[in-house]
Amino acid sequence: ATKSSGAASRRNESRQFTGYVAANDAKSLTVEKRGKQPRTMVFTKHAEMKTTGEIERNARVTVYYRDEGGQTVAHRVVAKPLKGSGGR
């Protein structure tokens, strides 16, 4: 197995980040991970980004993204239903 070709394909592989929406506008999405080691990531929205569910402030989401030219570009965002919004 050659590691040099693996490094090139890894750079383009899809990654994921789960957290809560802090900001959402036409071109970018900011997601923060809460807890003992909080972390915030800002994603550029891909022109053909797919979404599942409502992407709104404080929604819990999983962002599937790639590093493209030094930017984290979101290709797919999946929102989890907000707690308490289930039908009873």
Side-chain angles (χ1 to χ4, degrees):
T2 58
K3 294 201 177 213
S4 60
S5 63
S9 63
R10 270 196 70 156
R11 205 175 305 136
N12 213 6
E13 105 188 350
S14 186
R15 299 181 189 171
Q16 64 187 56
F17 184 80
T18 300
Y20 295 87
V21 176
N24 183 18
D25 62 36
K27 295 187 179 196
S28 68
L29 175 67
T30 304
V31 178
E32 60 185 15
K33 187 170 278 197
R34 300 173 182 166
K36 291 179 185 175
Q37 295 180 321
R39 184 174 166 207
T40 301
M41 288 189 69
V42 179
F43 301 95
T44 301
K45 292 181 177 179
H46 189 271
E48 296 175 13
M49 183 180 89
K50 295 181 172 89
T51 61
T52 303
E54 285 292 315
I55 311 301
E56 56 192 10
R57 189 165 166 80
N58 290 319
R60 184 170 162 81
V61 297
T62 299
V63 180
Y64 297 87
Y65 69 96
R66 290 191 180 108
D67 282 325
E68 295 179 11
Q71 290 189 323
T72 50
V73 179
H75 286 264
R76 187 162 66 104
V77 181
V78 178
K80 314 280 190 279
L82 291 171
K83 289 179 184 170
S85 65
R88 275 197 192 198

